[in-house]
């Protein structure tokens, strides 16, 4: 009589199984039942998933069927298909998401998004309309390239008739591109109908006749007129022209508090100041604790500019002193950029005989020309204004504090505004209030 075959066992992980598989991926266990083991690739992650566990089946065929069912289940575990959405619902979701993650930036950007979505892109789809229309009620997966092209052509005709400007339409196009790109990446649509969507042609914002910048001579004349007509904006204008900082970075500067943005270095007389640029303000009372570009700056100011700022502070009323701001309005609050310098600077320019049309942005544009007139190296120019266009140059360059101060001092000589002159002339129109004495010498390091 033929003897029964003796099973040979081997230790595998925490199991004692037979050396030889009963069926592919199935081994008998010494304790009873079977060990099933297999692998499958997950379509959701692209990674290999291992199946390894004991079963109580008495027959190897039953254990094998269970293994194959587990492998099939792992291969079918795909990502859930997104629910079908209309354009208005998806665009609102994109806006809410970017708002929650603070990707929209300033209050002006948030307001712009709301306006473009609510008043333009999310209008009902009515291509036969005589005016604007949008894609609000269109399903994302039904929005086609032809529909987008027809909409662009309609907007182009409105531009020709003067209803809307091409730059405004191009803002709509930017938002539409972003929304549909996200919809395509998130599988709400199998194609992106905005791949070939181009901007409308525009004329240059600034021309040789209207560059929104001033020559050194014009800048000096303008500052003189601002001194005569708007002395409260003299220091603000001087700081803007000599540093090239954005108005949104100048308005929220703090002169007091636990983290002042201007620190005067006092020893034997005024030795200059250290300016920290790390906040921004656009609309309302909201101040962001970051700059527009996310870059923090530290600028060393020379004595002539520090004296102008000290003279400016000396003219403050009690509400302005209590505010802690460097450029508060008369009530000690952040001033409204749209109703102050936006009108004050062009008016001062007209009174000074300057025929160019300018805005407060001219300070940033003029700064580049002023620095070029005093032969300041490009790397120093960028370190002051924060207008970095060559990242590697900045990465491998170290700008000393005295280089920054010296370049601004040369512009002070060019524009003829020595600080002592500002203090002397300040006494003519208003008795300066006493500025608290600062005895602590602060290092120039940031």
């Amino acid at each position: 009589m033929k003897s029964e075959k003796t099973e040979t066992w081997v230790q595998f992980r925490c199991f004692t199984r037979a050396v030889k598989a009963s069926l592919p991926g199935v081994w008998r266990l010494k304790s009873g039942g079977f060990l099933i083991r297999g692998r499958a690739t997950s379509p959701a992650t692209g990674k290999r998933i291992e199946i390894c566990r004991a079963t109580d089946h008495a027959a190897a065929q039953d254990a094998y069927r269970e293994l194959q069912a587990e492998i099939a289940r792992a291969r079918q575990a795909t990502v859930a298909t997104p629910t079908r959405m209309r354009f208005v619902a998806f665009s609102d979701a994109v806006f809410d998401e970017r708002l929650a993650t603070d990707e929209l930036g300033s209050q002006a950007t948030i307001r712009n998004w709301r306006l473009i979505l609510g008043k333009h892109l999310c209008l009902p789809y009515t291509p036969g309309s005589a005016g604007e229309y949008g894609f609000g009620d269109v399903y994302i997966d039904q929005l086609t390239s032809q529909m987008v092209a027809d909409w662009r052509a309609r907007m182009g005709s409105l531009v020709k008739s003067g209803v809307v400007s091409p730059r405004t339409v191009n803002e709509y196009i930017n938002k539409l591109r972003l929304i549909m790109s996200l919809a395509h990446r998130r599988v709400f649509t199998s194609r992106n109908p905005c791949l070939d969507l181009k901007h409308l042609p525009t004329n240059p914002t600034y021309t040789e006749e209207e560059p929104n910048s001033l020559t050194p001579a014009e800048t000096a004349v303008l500052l003189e007129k601002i001194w005569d007509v708007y002395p409260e904006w003299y220091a603000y204008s001087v700081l803007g022209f000599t540093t090239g900082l954005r108005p949104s970075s100048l308005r929220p500067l703090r002169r007091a508090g636990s983290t002042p943005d201007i620190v005067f270095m006092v020893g034997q007389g005024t030795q200059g100041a250290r300016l920290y640029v790390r906040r921004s303000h656009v609309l309302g009372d909201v101040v962001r604790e970051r700059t527009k570009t996310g870059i923090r700056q530290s600028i060393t100011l020379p004595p002539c500019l520090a004296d102008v700022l000290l003279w400016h502070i000396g003219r403050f009323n009690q509400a302005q002193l209590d505010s802690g701001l460097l450029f508060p309005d008369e009530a000690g609050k952040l001033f409204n950029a749209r109703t102050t310098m936006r009108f004050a600077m062009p008016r001062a320019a007209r009174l000074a005989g300057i025929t160019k049309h300018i805005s407060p942005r001219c300070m940033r544009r003029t700064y580049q020309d002023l620095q070029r007139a005093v032969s300041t190296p490009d790397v120093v120019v960028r370190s002051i204004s924060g207008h970095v266009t060559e990242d590697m140059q900045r990465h491998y360059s170290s700008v000393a504090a005295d280089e920054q101060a010296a370049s601004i001092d040369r512009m002070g000589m060019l524009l003829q505004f020595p600080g002592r002159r500002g203090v002397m002339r300040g006494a003519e129109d208003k008795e300066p209030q006493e500025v608290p004495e600062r005895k602590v010498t602060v290092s120039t390091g940031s």
Side-chain angles (χ1 to χ4, degrees), residues 233-245:
W233 298 118
Y234 180 71
Y236 177 90
S237 302
V238 166
L239 188 61
F241 278 114
T242 56
T243 62
L245 294 174

Side-chain angles (χ1 to χ4, degrees), residues 274-346:
R274 193 72 171 169
L275 183 68
Y276 299 97
V277 184
R278 47 199 173 190
R279 308 204 306 165
S280 62
H281 164 255
V282 179
L283 294 174
D285 297 326
V286 179
V287 176
R288 302 186 72 219
E289 296 301 322
R290 53 164 291 173
T291 62
K292 178 180 179 180
T293 60
I295 299 173
R296 291 191 167 198
Q297 295 169 250
S298 177
I299 304 172
T300 301
L301 305 180
C304 69
L305 188 49
D307 283 342
V308 170
L309 295 175
L310 284 172
W311 164 81
H312 168 72
I313 295 170
R315 302 181 72 254
F316 281 0
N317 60 35
Q318 192 58 49
Q320 291 172 319
L321 287 173
D322 294 341
S323 71
L325 295 171
L326 183 58
F327 299 113
D329 63 12
E330 289 189 354
K333 299 180 180 179
L334 290 162
F335 68 84
N336 188 334
R338 296 182 178 275
T339 58
T340 49
M341 287 301 288
R342 181 183 176 187
F343 300 103
M345 185 170 284

Side-chain angles (χ1 to χ4, degrees), residues 106-140:
S106 69
Q107 291 298 306
T109 304
I110 294 173
R111 186 184 67 173
N112 192 36
W113 263 83
R114 285 182 173 140
L115 178 65
I116 291 176
L117 293 182
K119 301 292 186 180
H120 303 285
L121 291 182
C122 291
L123 292 175
Y125 179 66
T126 52
S129 171
E132 288 187 50
Y133 65 86
F135 307 104
D137 52 351
V138 178
Y139 283 111
I140 287 286

